Amino acid sequence: MKRHILPIFFLLLLLPLSACGKSYDYTAHISELRSDIFRAETDEFTVTLSCVSREYPYAADGVACPRSDLVEISLVPAEKADAYEVYFVTETGEQGGEASFRNAFGDYFFSESVTSFPEETVSMRVVWGGETREVTATSVKNDKTLSCTEALDRAIAAEKDRIDRMTDTVFLGEFHVRLLRRDKNYYYVGIVDKDGETLSLLLDSETGEVLARRDTRV
């Protein structure tokens, strides 16, 4: 009898260890994702198309809701005109429309839902004052750019103690992950808890190194 009980006893000891070793899927708690940025520049304007997946309704409340995909287009003209229209080509055809001027940013902005995102390049058309220009916008990413998931993994590893405190049987919070383009590429990762406190991290887009961090309360 003892010979049968002993192996079962050791098997029961190993089960909790196996469960503890299972990795947690934090990507299920991403409420906003900017996965790519496409840019084109002429003497007349600079146009940027961003690929965004965002929850609806959007709120930094620590709870991730189902996301929908959309593109956001920002156009900065060399000389301001009365109106601009921006169009982009998808797998299903051309989409776009009139862009709205944003005083806070000094640009013309347009957003629209999509069923798929472009890869590497996207054909765009800009219309204003009887003029039409067709351009090819190119992704700012390169072979060394981390994916959004990899950037999130680096942020979680850097803030392990905080993430552990926010994780019981489930993670009690949400993530915002955004590819940024300034002088070069960066990633922004926001870690939001259910009390509205946000830890903002700026990461190197190629190494995942945390370059800056800031705690804010929403």
Side-chain angles (χ1 to χ4, degrees):
M1 175 68 75
K2 288 183 179 179
R3 285 181 298 176
H4 294 288
I5 293 175
L6 194 60
I8 295 174
F9 174 74
F10 281 113
L11 178 61
L12 292 174
L13 285 177
L14 289 172
L15 286 175
L17 294 176
S18 298
C20 292
K22 185 178 180 180
S23 60
Y24 188 85
D25 182 17
Y26 288 102
T27 61
H29 299 274
I30 298 176
S31 61
E32 182 186 22
L33 196 66
R34 184 191 295 153
S35 55
D36 209 343
I37 299 172
F38 296 79
R39 295 183 77 252
E41 186 174 355
T42 72
D43 293 337
E44 297 159 313
F45 58 79
T46 299
V47 62
T48 303
L49 183 149
S50 299
C51 301
V52 179
S53 183
R54 182 180 294 134
E55 68 176 1
Y56 182 82
Y58 181 68
D61 55 6
V63 180
C65 296
R67 305 192 309 259
S68 58
D69 295 338
L70 65 153
V71 299
E72 295 181 341
I73 300 175
S74 169
L75 185 140
V76 180
E79 295 182 5
K80 185 177 177 182
D82 291 336
Y84 282 89
E85 296 175 25
V86 289
Y87 299 90
F88 59 99
V89 177
T90 68
E91 293 179 350
T92 57
E94 189 177 69
Q95 293 180 238
E98 185 173 349
S100 301
F101 183 72
R102 300 191 296 183
N103 285 307
F105 297 94
D107 68 345
Y108 290 83
F109 180 80
F110 177 85
S111 66
E112 187 171 3
S113 298
V114 294
T115 56
S116 63
F117 290 133
E119 297 181 8
E120 297 185 358
T121 62
V122 56
S123 297
M124 303 186 68
R125 184 164 59 91
V126 179
V127 181
W128 78 100
E131 300 286 341
T132 299
R133 298 289 183 274
E134 294 184 357
V135 296
T136 299
T138 304
S139 172
V140 301
K141 297 167 68 174
N142 58 51
D143 293 339
K144 296 181 180 179
T145 305
L146 298 174
S147 68
C148 289
T149 301
E150 291 171 331
L152 178 61
D153 288 342
R154 301 297 198 282
I156 290 172
E159 298 294 334
K160 183 179 184 303
D161 291 343
R162 190 184 189 110
I163 296 297
D164 286 346
R165 291 195 301 270
M166 296 173 65
T167 307
D168 191 3
T169 54
V170 296
F171 177 67
L172 303 177
E174 65 178 327
F175 299 102
H176 301 167
V177 184
R178 305 175 193 143
L179 179 65
L180 304 176
R181 177 67 183 182
R182 300 295 184 264
D183 56 320
K184 63 176 186 175
N185 294 339
Y186 300 92
Y187 271 106
Y188 165 85
V189 177
I191 304 172
V192 186
D193 65 23
K194 288 194 172 182
D195 293 326
E197 186 172 336
T198 301
L199 174 62
S200 298
L201 303 176
L202 183 68
L203 277 63
D204 184 289
S205 68
E206 297 182 3
T207 66
E209 177 188 359
V210 176
L211 305 175
R213 68 190 303 277
R214 183 180 65 179
D215 264 316
T216 57
R217 184 164 293 277
V218 179

